[in-house]
Amino acid sequence: MDKLRGNIRGILLLLPFVVRLFLADAVLSFLLPFSYFFPTGVYDLSSGIAATVWLHIQSIFTRSNAANITFSGVPLPAHESAIVIANHVSWTDFYMIQALAIRAGMLGRCRWFAKSQLKTVPFLGWGLWAMGMPLVTRDWTHDSQEMDRVFRGITKYNWPTCKFFDCKAKVQLRPAADDPAVGLISYSEATRYTAKKYAETLAWCKAHGRPFPQHTLYPRTKGFITTVQQLRGTPHVKAIYDLTIAYAEKRPSSSEKWAFLAAPDMWQSLSEPRLNARWKFHVHVERYPLKTLPETDEGLKQWLEDKWIEKGARLEQLRQGLLAGRAW
């Protein structure tokens, strides 16, 4: 009976969001032809539409279902364009990243790397295309052309963005007209962390003489290198945001009490009313000015690999703190 009530509650919460999502995708699809003639106008309008949709689902997670996201690290400047890198644990990672984007007034400006197949999905795929989302296949011959399309707007028109390659501030759905901020978001591991994939990562690291990461997969570097090299000369893209995402699920019957990196699934995040009673959600933030990164491709590759080793060590510290009863 409790499960049935939870499912009904989730459906009632989700229905208004689905209606809003459909209407937003319909409008974005309508705007797609106009993007060839008025690229900046369509970009600005689609960012505002996207912000209302993302704010809605974030509200379900944090307000209706009481998820409490905690933060550590450095505060982020408001309305700053940046490239965002993060470890990938669960479907719910985007809630964690959006929480930071809301604080920085950048929610509508987030652009996520997504699978190319989505562009053929009516309304949804067309909406992603109109918004300037990078739609990639992991085939570099094709993806280099797609990256050129995405970067053209940022470098030519100075589009604000937060590229995710994923003190409460007042929520602002878009930056001021004279503040061209944007964020581009990517999960550098290219897939979610699982025990099986981690074992494959360790085998690969051993075979190639790489250091073993903790609690992460090894990052893929090509997309990151191209993104940095393309955008580092753009005056309004200022920094790399390095996010470390962590979860823990309370399991009273277990000897360790908490399951580290165990996150709610999609339906649980939308339907369970007291997420904070069962899960911990945490994001650690580091900010690196683009001008401080290495100039060469090889240097950037090593930089990203080093950050992933540091990220794993940080996750291990969080795990040890959890076992010791320290708050995140």
Side-chain angles (χ1 to χ4, degrees), residues 284-302:
H284 180 86
V285 186
E286 294 292 341
R287 178 186 179 276
Y288 302 98
L290 267 179
K291 62 184 180 182
T292 66
L293 268 65
E295 296 287 339
T296 66
D297 288 1
E298 189 59 35
L300 287 171
K301 177 182 178 181
Q302 187 61 54

Side-chain angles (χ1 to χ4, degrees), residues 18-316:
V18 171
V19 171
R20 171 172 280 182
L21 177 63
F22 177 80
L23 292 174
D25 283 337
V27 173
L28 291 171
S29 298
F30 173 77
L31 291 174
L32 182 57
F34 296 96
S35 65
Y36 293 98
F37 304 102
F38 311 103
T40 299
V42 170
Y43 181 85
D44 287 340
L45 185 55
S46 65
S47 294
I49 293 170
T52 65
V53 174
W54 292 333
L55 194 61
H56 189 152
I57 197 169
Q58 192 75 12
S59 179
I60 293 175
F61 184 66
T62 58
R63 295 184 182 180
S64 301
N65 294 339
N68 179 34
I69 304 173
T70 57
F71 303 91
S72 62
V74 302
L76 296 180
H79 309 319
E80 180 179 59
S81 289
I83 301 164
V84 184
I85 56 176
N87 59 309
H88 193 12
V89 182
S90 164
W91 182 87
T92 52
D93 293 349
F94 83 93
Y95 292 122
M96 322 292 275
I97 296 171
Q98 286 192 160
L100 285 169
I102 290 171
R103 287 183 162 212
M106 288 294 293
L107 185 61
R109 300 300 188 174
C110 294
R111 296 297 183 268
W112 304 71
F113 283 83
K115 293 181 179 179
S116 179
Q117 297 93 315
L118 290 175
K119 71 174 65 173
T120 62
V121 178
F123 298 109
L124 174 62
W126 304 337
L128 295 176
W129 182 270
M131 288 181 62
M133 294 285 189
L135 301 174
V136 296
T137 64
R138 306 295 178 191
D139 174 2
W140 193 246
T141 304
H142 174 272
D143 290 345
S144 59
Q145 299 173 358
E146 174 66 5
M147 300 279 264
D148 287 342
R149 178 188 72 85
V150 173
F151 293 143
R152 192 177 306 120
I154 301 171
T155 57
K156 182 178 181 180
Y157 303 112
N158 285 340
W159 286 350
T161 191
C162 274
K163 289 292 189 187
F164 289 74
F165 204 61
D166 269 125
C167 83
K168 286 194 175 180
K170 180 180 178 182
V171 173
Q172 298 182 3
L173 299 185
R174 61 182 303 273
D178 60 348
D179 188 6
V182 68
L184 178 60
I185 307 160
S186 172
Y187 298 116
S188 295
E189 295 155 303
T191 187
R192 297 177 191 174
Y193 177 92
T194 66
K196 179 182 178 182
K197 291 171 184 174
Y198 182 62
E200 293 171 352
T201 291
L202 295 182
W204 183 89
C205 290
K206 183 177 180 179
H208 292 81
R210 295 286 199 275
F212 292 171
Q214 299 181 84
H215 310 296
T216 69
L217 307 181
Y218 220 75
R220 299 188 181 185
T221 58
K222 274 189 177 180
F224 172 77
I225 292 168
T226 300
T227 301
V228 172
Q229 298 292 36
Q230 287 269 9
L231 298 183
R232 73 188 319 159
T234 305
H236 68 293
V237 180
K238 303 288 182 64
I240 300 283
Y241 297 164
D242 180 11
L243 310 185
T244 301
I245 297 172
Y247 305 91
E249 182 184 6
K250 185 181 292 184
R251 294 182 180 174
S253 59
S254 170
S255 59
E256 291 192 349
K257 305 303 181 185
W258 290 95
F260 186 59
L261 293 187
D265 61 30
M266 179 178 68
W267 186 241
Q268 287 171 326
S269 76
L270 295 169
S271 62
E272 291 208 13
R274 292 179 297 278
L275 291 170
N276 61 336
R278 183 173 170 184
W279 282 279
K280 289 180 180 289
F281 306 92
H282 186 76
V283 186
H284 180 86
V285 186
E286 294 292 341
R287 178 186 179 276
Y288 302 98
L290 267 179
K291 62 184 180 182
T292 66
L293 268 65
E295 296 287 339
T296 66
D297 288 1
E298 189 59 35
L300 287 171
K301 177 182 178 181
Q302 187 61 54
W303 185 92
L304 184 64
E305 291 177 346
D306 290 345
K307 293 308 169 191
W308 240 250
I309 297 301
E310 293 175 15
K311 188 185 299 292
R314 189 175 298 118
L315 286 166
E316 178 59 18

